[in-house]
């Protein structure tokens, strides 16, 4: 009797384990996540800049993002990236590093192997404007004509909040890899730091009193087109 009881208990334990596995597998299979790496080009638009100080032009950008599914068509996650924003004229390029949280909503109408989505988020960006050499016309005296003086605009930093949003699409290459592309925009606000605010970056002049260079305009809007790969679980 004791042996039969022990055998019965073992059978019950085995059956219970199999039932638990069969219940948990669908739940595990429903947990989806993805991670992506994208590179491309970004154009920032400056407002409020002093005429002649140079506008921002096209520059390279890269971003890493990851998401976890809350429900089948909605994923939440985080992003981090960097772009180099050149400026026209003599002004040096600016380095912009950004990151934050974002939501991705998948389209229910696009069928495999294609997928499409819209995304939006909220984050913060840090900016560093590199130093560069320049020439400034400085008055030579009460009655003298302005004289050109060489100078160096010192590097300066700043930051702002941003709201990224856009659309994306992907094509499944082979499990779990997908080729992807995104067209995104960014709205910036609450700009702070010497790169944006008066008196502006320090200006060191040769043979004349030092001063300040005009601040860059505010990064209120940006457009980016990126391509990359997604690792989808």
């Amino acid at each position: 009797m004791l042996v039969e009881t022990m055998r019965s208990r073992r059978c019950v334990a085995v059956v219970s384990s199999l039932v638990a596995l069969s219940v948990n597998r669908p739940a595990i299979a429903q947990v989806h996540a993805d991670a992506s790496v994208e590179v491309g080009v970004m154009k920032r638009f400056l407002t409020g800049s002093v005429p002649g100080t140079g506008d921002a032009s096209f520059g390279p950008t890269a971003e890493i993002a990851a998401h976890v599914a809350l429900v089948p068509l909605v994923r939440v996650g985080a992003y981090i990236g960097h772009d180099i924003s050149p400026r026209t004229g003599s002004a040096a390029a600016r380095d912009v590093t950004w990151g934050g949280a974002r939501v991705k909503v998948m389209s229910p109408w696009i069928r495999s192997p294609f997928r499409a989505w819209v995304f939006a988020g909220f984050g913060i960006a840090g900016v560093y404007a590199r130093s560069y050499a320049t020439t400034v016309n400085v008055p030579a005296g009460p009655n003298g004509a302005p004289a050109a003086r060489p100078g160096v605009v010192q590097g300066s930093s700043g930051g702002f909040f941003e709201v990224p949003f856009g659309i994306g699409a992907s094509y499944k290459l082979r499990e779990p890899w997908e080729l992807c592309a995104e067209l995104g925009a960014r709205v910036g606000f609450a700009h702070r730091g010497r790169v944006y605010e008066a008196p502006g970056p320090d200006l060191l002049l040769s043979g004349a009193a030092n001063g300040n260079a005009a601040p860059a305009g505010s990064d209120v809007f940006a457009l980016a087109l990126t391509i990359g790969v997604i690792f989808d679980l």
Side-chain angles (χ1 to χ4, degrees), residues 148-163:
R149 299 288 185 180
V152 175
V153 177
Q154 299 294 291
S156 58
S157 60
F160 58 92
F161 294 104
E162 68 169 10
V163 176

Side-chain angles (χ1 to χ4, degrees), residues 2 13 24 50 60 67 71-72 86 127 143-144 162 173 180 189 191 217 232:
L2 180 60
N24 289 334
V50 176
H67 306 86
V71 294
V127 183
N143 300 319
E162 68 169 10
L173 298 173
C180 66
F189 61 97
H191 298 77
D232 187 71

